[in-house]
Each structure stands twice: as structure tokens, then as C-alpha cells.
Amino acid sequence: MSANTSMVTEFILVGFSHLVNLQGLLFSLFLTVYLLTVAGNLLIVVLVSTDAALQSPMYFFLRVLSALEIGYTSVTVPLLLHHLLTGRRHIPRSGCALQMFFFLFFGATECCLLAAMAYDRYAAICKPLRYPLLLSRRACLQLAGTAWTCGAVVGLGHTSFIFSLPFCGPNAIPHFFCEIQPVLQLVCGDTSLNELQIILAAALIILCPFGLILGSYWRILATIFQIPSAAGRHKAFSTCSSHLIVVCLFYSTAIFIYIRPKASYDPATDPLLSLFYAVVTPILNPIIYSLRNADVKAALKRTIQKMGPTKI
């Protein structure tokens, strides 16, 4: 098995090579989306870091989420841009493993962080008197640290497990990055047991945080409906709406992509679905939080005013 494992030393990321006449257009499109994603999320990081009005636990987690999104999209898009620009689609085995690790690392961390953000909303709405204690600075750091640690464990575990399997050819990955399912397609021999282990691990890291989010919002909704005034209910729900939209976007694709057998992988449509959560979702997050959050919009306005010309 060790001999077979070393036979494939590099992979070919097929990506969008079949769209021969659209390479330039795709490059321009993905470059624009990537720059906007980095700029939008970096803006939120800067706003939360510098504006005194955005120092609550909710915005602490938002800053961490935005930093995650920058890393998440940077794992895949720059390499995709390189492939579109040069036409060279080879990636060494070690590079493929490294890309898979960081993609899983950022993705799993985001799974856990979204659960921490749901807990923050639960504590703010359902336990307002205990909120400063439940979400103290130390508690926020512990929750964020736990999310990063879980992400590292998931990324390292999945990557080391998959790349310890034998790859003896072919080496063409029908995807634009080293995603688990298409890479697993290239493993030699029967991988049914390995596949089951991967699905169970993915289900654990995806469904457990998702279950905590659902439980938190069940309690949140029950509390909101007990608020006597319509204005109070609207204000309480508005603080959760942005997070709910992000959760729905992220988890809907993640559950579909990862919790299923490799036999259901479709090389024609799955890369398009991956585009949604790897490229589109990271650019939507800052838009969602900016447009639906009065505090963020006010902080942005103050920042723009500070950058404007000083009146003499």
C-alpha cells in the first residue's frame, strides 16, 4: 500500500477548463468577487476593532467571522485565478493536502463560531440580566478559541486520514479545489468504510453546532413571542435576522455537500454548488450584516466622516 500511496505525486484540478472561451470572463468575475470579499470583510474587522460602539460580544464574534471569511475564500480563489490566467492546473500532492486542511479548518471553525453567535443571541434575549456574566470577555475568548481548536482538529484529522489512503491514478480532480468528495473519488480500492467514517465525522462537526443553533433559536423565539409590544418583538428579532440568514446559507450547502455518499457526487453540478459556499457566501456576509445592522451602518458613516476633509 505504501508503494501505491506514493505513485501519485501531483493532481490536476480540472475546474472550469471545459469553458475554454470563458476563461478571461471567469477570471475577471472571480477576481472582482474576491477583492470585494476581502475588502468587505476587512472593513468589518477594522470597524469593530476601532469603533467604541461596536465592542459588545456580538460584534466580537462578527469580527472573528469576517476574519474567517477572508481566510476561507483565500484558500481557494487565488489558486483558481492562477489556473484561469495561466492554464496550468497542476497542484502537488502536498499542496492539495494543505489546501484541503485549511479549507476544512476555516469551514469547521465557522460551523462552531456560528453556534457561539447563536448562544450570544440566546443569552442577550433570554438571559439579559446574566448576559454580562455569560458573555464576558473571557467567555468570548474561550468560545472563539474552542471554535478555532475544533476547526484545527477537524482539518488535521480529515486531511491526514484521506491522504494516508492509496492514490494510484488517475489524478484529475473534477473540481476547482481539493474538496473531500472529488479527492476521495481518486482513492484506489474499496473506500466504503473510509467514506462512512468521513460522513460520520462531517455529520458530527456540522449537525452538532447546527442542533445547538436550532435549540438556541427555539428558546429565542419562545421568549420573543412573550414580549408584549410589537416594537419590542421587532427589535429583538432584528438582532437575530442577519445571523439566521448566514446560518441558512452556510449550513444548507454544507449539509448537502458533506453528509452524503461519494457515489452521489456529480462532477457537473457539485463544483457549482461549491462555488456558492466557497466564493459567494463569504461576500454576502458583510453585505448582510452591513445592510441589516444599524450599528454597523452608523459606525461606517462615522468612519467615512473621519476620513473626509477637515473643515477649517
Side-chain angles (χ1 to χ4, degrees):
M1 179 174 291
S2 59
N4 286 337
T5 303
S6 61
M7 286 182 65
V8 172
T9 59
E10 67 175 12
F11 296 97
I12 300 173
L13 291 169
V14 176
F16 304 101
S17 58
H18 60 290
L19 303 174
V20 179
N21 298 325
L22 298 178
Q23 299 298 291
L25 177 62
L26 291 174
F27 176 83
S28 301
L29 176 62
F30 290 137
L31 177 61
T32 302
V33 171
Y34 177 67
L35 293 177
L36 290 175
T37 299
V38 173
N41 284 287
L42 187 60
L43 177 62
I44 287 183
V45 172
V46 172
L47 286 177
V48 175
S49 301
T50 58
D51 196 286
L54 302 180
Q55 300 305 309
S56 67
M58 178 175 70
Y59 296 112
F60 167 80
F61 290 124
L62 178 57
R63 179 176 59 181
V64 177
L65 177 65
S66 294
L68 272 175
E69 296 291 30
I70 293 174
Y72 193 57
T73 192
S74 296
V75 171
T76 59
V77 178
L79 184 62
L80 172 60
L81 292 173
H82 171 73
H83 291 164
L84 290 170
L85 186 64
T86 65
R88 295 192 293 270
R89 305 177 184 278
H90 295 77
I91 182 171
R93 181 188 175 109
S94 58
C96 189
L98 199 61
Q99 186 184 52
M100 180 180 291
F101 164 75
F102 278 109
F103 188 78
L104 292 172
F105 167 54
F106 287 121
T109 302
E110 184 165 340
C111 278
C112 298
L113 186 70
L114 289 174
M117 294 175 77
Y119 175 70
D120 167 69
R121 293 298 82 207
Y122 160 78
I125 294 174
C126 302
K127 308 286 184 181
L129 298 180
R130 298 184 59 197
Y131 181 68
L133 177 63
L134 294 175
L135 272 298
S136 64
R137 180 69 177 176
R138 180 179 179 182
C140 290
L141 290 173
Q142 288 176 337
L143 287 170
T146 300
W148 286 99
T149 301
C150 289
V153 171
V154 170
L156 185 61
H158 273 310
T159 304
S160 59
F161 179 71
I162 289 176
F163 282 89
S164 65
L165 299 173
F167 294 92
C168 49
N171 67 338
I173 301 175
H175 213 290
F176 64 92
F177 71 98
C178 293
E179 176 70 288
I180 286 183
Q181 292 288 5
V183 172
L184 196 61
Q185 296 270 341
L186 304 181
V187 173
C188 300
D190 181 18
T191 61
S192 56
L193 181 59
N194 310 117
E195 179 187 348
L196 178 61
Q197 292 172 325
I198 291 171
I199 291 176
L200 290 176
L204 181 66
I205 195 60
I206 293 174
L207 294 184
C208 284
F210 188 55
L212 291 174
I213 292 172
L214 291 179
S216 296
Y217 274 105
W218 178 263
R219 297 290 300 275
I220 288 171
L221 289 175
T223 302
I224 288 177
F225 288 137
Q226 293 176 4
I227 298 176
S229 67
R233 290 194 297 269
H234 176 74
K235 181 179 179 181
F237 189 75
S238 65
T239 64
C240 305
S241 58
S242 298
H243 179 253
L244 270 175
I245 294 171
V246 172
V247 166
C248 292
L249 290 173
F250 183 82
Y251 277 97
S252 59
T253 50
I255 290 173
F256 178 78
I257 290 291
Y258 289 103
I259 308 178
R260 58 173 181 163
K262 74 170 187 177
S264 63
Y265 176 78
D266 185 350
T269 60
D270 279 43
L272 298 177
L273 291 173
S274 297
L275 272 178
F276 185 78
Y277 67 83
V279 179
V280 177
T281 301
I283 196 177
L284 291 178
N285 286 355
I287 296 174
I288 292 169
Y289 277 102
S290 298
L291 295 180
R292 300 185 63 86
N293 191 295
D295 292 336
V296 174
K297 287 189 287 187
L300 179 59
K301 184 178 180 180
R302 287 192 293 270
T303 301
I304 293 175
Q305 290 174 343
K306 290 178 182 178
M307 295 172 62
T310 304
K311 295 183 179 180
I312 300 176

